[in-house]
């Protein structure tokens, strides 16, 4: 259901609420876009909730609200599906009816909250959940609810712009394409940078319908379980250290020494986690080395090919998987699963348009016995993830589609066995490109949607340069164990 006009936890008050319609009649007016094999499973998921925290605009909030409404109207003219509604025909096919029915726009106030109060606590404040409309609303409700809601919340010294979008209409790629365009138009552009592609002639377009229970689907996880939620920041340097551990151990052990050492642990020990002084290979003198350059050079000169290279993100994911599994104190015989959502647009042959608007994702599960995961090193775990992601090619995508068509089903979001991790979002998404006219966001945050024990969302760090923020949701006991884990925490930094 939509969020209430006030919240006992944060006293956020709704100032106004209205519908916003496309500035021009839809170019797809009355066109029906059939939901694909990748869209349909998301109908049991909550709407996506992501937003940006900004400093106060250099003009009145009322002017900013007016600009947002006008800009949203103009943006909807480029993204007409978002102003539509779902429709299911007699054969059970679900469509987006591009009928210009409009979206929700909400103005709210929380002037007792400061940027510092929102950003300083270790755990994410509960206030963020009230910065989004359609809280806990499942995507199937798009038959009657708008497919998009935008809420702007005024703070004591800033504003938060939150977008809530139906997950059966967009994946992360499409969501941020819309959000970036919205900000771009608000900033004053007359011609948008990238136009969305609404074609449905892809391999995801299937003749197989998905049958729903009476009354529609329900979420597949417990939304009321006690959870803790934190953002852990990893600098480029920290991630490169993990990448070095994942790659150098794999490549040089039993072969040739690197700087006189045979594994990444000894290399890191030699360089020193604090001083990072290196030896100049030409004259043997000590110089203050650039940690990033040292790490990049070690990886570049000792990994034989790009296809063999375990990526920075795969190395970080492996580190997280091992650390969370260790904190959960699971039985060694239990199987643990790490799921990553992969973008299929560039994996198909021929490739899909990079700005295809809709869901074009599949879940790649990697499994391992707990005992093996924890008894082996980071390289072993990272290599498992790496091989699985690399193998997700055109043939794998098509097999996944055929498998779904043989047994149409909703996406089983959650952690039913207590041993799973689900990685969503991506540090490659242009989240900090949302400049509404006076600078980049201070932070990116999400709402309460689709949160459960083991749900991780990856954001780019605000400073860029390969840094990553992991929004980690865990049971209170597991989170406490993770915070006490020195191997995990040594790589965590304070955000810039």
């Amino acid at each position: 259901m939509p969020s209430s006009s006030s919240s006992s936890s944060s006293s956020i008050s709704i100032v106004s609420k209205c519908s916003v319609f496309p500035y021009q009649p839809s170019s797809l007016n009355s066109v029906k876009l059939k939901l694909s094999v990748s869209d349909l499973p998301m109908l049991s998921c909550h709407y996506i909730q992501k937003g940006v925290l900004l400093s106060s605009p250099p003009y009145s909030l009322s002017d900013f609200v007016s600009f947002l409404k006008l800009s949203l109207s103009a943006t909807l003219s480029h993204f007409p599906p978002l102003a539509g509604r779902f429709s299911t025909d007699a054969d059970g096919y679900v469509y987006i009816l591009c009928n210009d029915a409009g979206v929700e726009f909400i103005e709210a106030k929380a002037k007792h909250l400061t940027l510092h109060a929102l950003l300083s606590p270790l755990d994410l404040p509960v206030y963020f959940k009230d910065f989004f409309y359609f809280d806990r609303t499942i995507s199937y409700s798009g038959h009657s609810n708008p497919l998009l809601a935008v809420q702007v919340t005024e703070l004591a010294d800033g504003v938060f712009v939150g977008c809530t979008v139906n997950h059966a209409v967009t994946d992360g790629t499409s969501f941020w394409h819309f959000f970036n365009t919205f900000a771009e138009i608000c900033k004053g552009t007359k011609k948008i940078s990238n136009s969305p592609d609404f074609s449905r002639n892809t391999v995801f377009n299937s003749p197989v319908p998905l049958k729903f229970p009476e009354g529609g689907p329900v979420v597949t996880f417990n939304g009321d379980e006690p959870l803790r939620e934190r953002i852990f920041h990893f600098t480029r340097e920290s991630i490169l250290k993990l990448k070095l551990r994942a790659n150098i151990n794999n490549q040089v052990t039993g072969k040739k020494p690197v700087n006189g050492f045979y594994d990444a642990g000894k290399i890191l020990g030699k360089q020193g986690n604090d001083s990072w002084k290196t030896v100049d290979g030409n004259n043997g003198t000590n110089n203050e080395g650039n940690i990033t350059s040292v790490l990049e050079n070690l990886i570049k000169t000792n990994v034989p090919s790009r296809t063999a290279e375990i990526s920075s993100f795969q190395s970080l994911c492996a580190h997280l998987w091992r650390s969370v599994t260790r904190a959960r104190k699971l039985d060694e015989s239990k199987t643990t699963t790490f799921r990553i959502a992969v973008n299929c647009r560039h994996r198909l042959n021929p490739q899909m348009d990079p700005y295809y608007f809709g869901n074009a994702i599949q879940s790649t599960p990697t499994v391992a016995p707990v005992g093996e995961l924890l008894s082996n090193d980071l390289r072993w775990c990272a290599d498992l993830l790496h091989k699985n992601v690399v193998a997700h090619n055109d043939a794998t995508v098509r097999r996944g589609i055929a498998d779904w068509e043989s047994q149409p089903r909703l996406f089983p979001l959650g952690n039913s066995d207590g041993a799973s991790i689900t990685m969503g979002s991506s540090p490659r998404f242009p989240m900090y490109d949302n400049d509404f006219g006076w600078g980049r966001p201070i932070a990116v945050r999400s709402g309460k949607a689709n949160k459960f024990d083991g749900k991780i969302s990856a954001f780019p760090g605000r400073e860029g340069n390969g840094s990553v923020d992991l929004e980690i949701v865990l049971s209170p006991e597991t989170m406490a164990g993770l915070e006490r884990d020195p191997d995990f925490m040594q790589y965590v930094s304070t955000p810039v």
Side-chain angles (χ1 to χ4, degrees):
M1 295 297 292
S3 58
S4 62
S5 60
S6 64
S7 167
S8 59
S9 63
S10 58
S11 301
I12 292 175
S13 59
I14 302 298
V15 176
S16 65
K17 182 171 64 175
C18 66
S19 295
V20 174
F21 304 94
Y23 179 71
Q24 295 177 331
S26 170
S27 58
L28 302 175
N29 191 25
S30 297
V31 169
K32 296 194 299 183
L33 301 176
K34 188 167 73 170
L35 295 192
S36 74
V37 165
S38 189
D39 298 323
L40 289 168
M42 302 301 174
L43 286 169
S44 62
C45 298
H46 293 144
Y47 279 49
I48 300 173
Q49 296 178 327
K50 296 288 191 300
V52 292
L53 191 62
L54 305 164
S55 59
S56 295
Y59 39 78
S60 70
L61 187 77
S62 61
D63 283 345
F64 179 50
V65 168
S66 297
F67 292 153
L68 280 182
K69 289 179 181 178
L70 290 172
S71 302
L72 179 58
S73 176
T75 308
L76 292 174
S77 297
H78 296 284
F79 293 83
L82 290 174
R85 298 290 186 274
F86 288 154
S87 174
T88 300
D89 68 12
D91 296 318
Y93 295 117
V94 184
Y95 297 87
I96 305 172
L97 183 60
C98 300
N99 58 2
D100 294 339
V103 305
E104 291 287 292
F105 185 92
I106 303 93
E107 180 187 356
K109 287 187 182 294
K111 298 196 71 173
H112 59 294
L113 295 176
T114 64
L115 297 176
H116 178 75
L118 291 171
L119 295 175
S120 59
L122 285 179
D123 284 27
L124 284 172
V126 295
Y127 309 125
F128 282 109
K129 71 181 179 63
D130 292 311
F131 293 168
F132 298 91
Y133 207 59
F134 293 139
D135 186 37
R136 300 200 191 195
T137 302
I138 66 169
S139 293
Y140 187 82
S141 72
H143 285 83
S144 55
N145 282 322
L147 303 179
L148 164 69
V150 174
Q151 178 174 321
V152 55
T153 303
E154 182 183 15
L155 310 171
D157 53 354
V159 293
F160 189 90
V161 179
C163 281
T164 304
V165 182
N166 192 292
H167 206 336
V169 178
T170 70
D171 58 11
T173 299
S174 295
F175 177 94
W176 290 107
H177 181 196
F178 161 75
F179 210 149
N180 291 162
T181 305
F182 179 28
E184 186 179 37
I185 289 176
C186 191
K187 192 176 180 180
T189 188
K190 301 301 181 185
K191 180 177 175 57
I192 66 173
S193 298
N194 302 294
S195 296
D197 171 42
F198 301 112
S199 63
R200 287 299 186 263
N201 58 339
T202 75
V203 297
F204 288 105
N205 189 28
S206 173
V208 180
L210 176 61
K211 303 298 183 182
F212 298 100
E214 188 70 27
V218 296
V219 293
T220 57
F221 60 91
N222 178 12
D224 295 317
E225 63 180 331
L227 298 169
R228 282 187 59 196
E229 185 175 351
R230 274 193 63 178
I231 288 184
F232 293 88
H233 180 68
F234 298 85
T235 63
R236 177 174 176 78
E237 289 80 6
S238 291
I239 295 172
L240 283 174
K241 288 182 185 180
L242 289 168
K243 185 176 181 179
L244 179 69
R245 283 177 58 188
N247 282 279
I248 300 299
N249 278 3
N250 185 31
Q251 301 301 329
V252 307
T253 301
K255 296 181 183 179
K256 62 179 181 177
V258 178
N259 285 12
F261 296 90
Y262 284 90
D263 61 58
K266 293 180 180 178
I267 294 170
L268 291 171
K270 171 66 176 176
Q271 300 297 344
N273 287 338
D274 297 321
S275 62
W276 279 86
K277 290 186 177 181
T278 64
V279 177
D280 189 306
N282 295 321
N283 56 30
T285 59
N286 286 334
N287 298 303
E288 285 293 336
N290 181 295
I291 177 175
T292 302
S293 299
V294 171
L295 290 165
E296 288 177 338
N297 186 60
L298 285 169
I299 294 167
K300 180 180 179 181
T301 56
N302 289 280
V303 179
S305 69
R306 293 290 294 174
T307 55
E309 180 181 307
I310 296 170
S311 74
S312 297
F313 190 58
Q314 290 159 5
S315 304
L316 179 59
C317 286
H319 177 58
L320 174 71
W321 189 11
R322 296 178 75 245
S323 300
V324 171
T325 301
R326 191 162 49 238
R328 282 174 168 165
K329 300 179 179 178
L330 301 169
D331 188 277
E332 289 189 353
S333 63
K334 193 174 183 67
T335 297
T336 176
T337 305
F338 194 100
R339 295 182 179 274
I340 300 178
V342 296
N343 181 3
C344 298
R345 290 168 176 82
H346 63 285
R347 297 176 187 272
L348 285 161
N349 185 21
Q351 294 185 3
M352 296 173 67
D353 189 301
Y355 295 103
Y356 167 81
F357 191 79
N359 286 276
I361 54 175
Q362 289 180 334
S363 176
T364 300
T366 302
V367 299
V370 169
E372 286 190 40
L373 188 79
L374 298 183
S375 63
N376 284 289
D377 59 12
L378 178 73
R379 178 215 59 79
W380 184 89
C381 179
D383 194 47
L384 276 183
L385 293 171
H386 170 73
K387 288 176 178 175
N388 220 2
V389 172
V390 170
H392 206 98
N393 54 18
D394 177 84
T396 309
V397 174
R398 294 175 190 272
R399 281 198 302 270
I401 293 170
D403 175 67
W404 186 91
E405 289 179 329
S406 69
Q407 186 183 0
R409 55 199 180 274
L410 295 162
F411 186 72
L413 202 61
N415 179 18
S416 59
D417 64 358
S420 298
I421 294 174
T422 298
M423 176 65 73
S425 196
S426 170
R428 294 184 176 182
F429 290 155
M431 303 182 188
Y432 284 94
D433 290 355
N434 292 292
D435 183 348
F436 284 84
W438 65 96
R440 299 166 67 246
I442 295 170
V444 177
R445 293 291 185 266
S446 66
K448 190 174 174 57
N450 301 312
K451 298 287 180 68
F452 51 85
D453 177 21
K455 174 63 185 296
I456 318 294
S457 295
F459 302 157
R462 188 179 188 274
E463 71 267 31
N465 194 35
S467 60
V468 174
D469 287 335
L470 291 183
E471 179 190 78
I472 298 179
V473 182
L474 295 170
S475 71
E477 298 80 11
T478 303
M479 183 69 83
L482 190 66
E483 292 169 331
R484 292 192 298 266
D485 185 344
D487 183 57
F488 179 78
M489 294 301 296
Q490 69 173 309
Y491 294 95
V492 176
S493 304
T494 302
V496 175

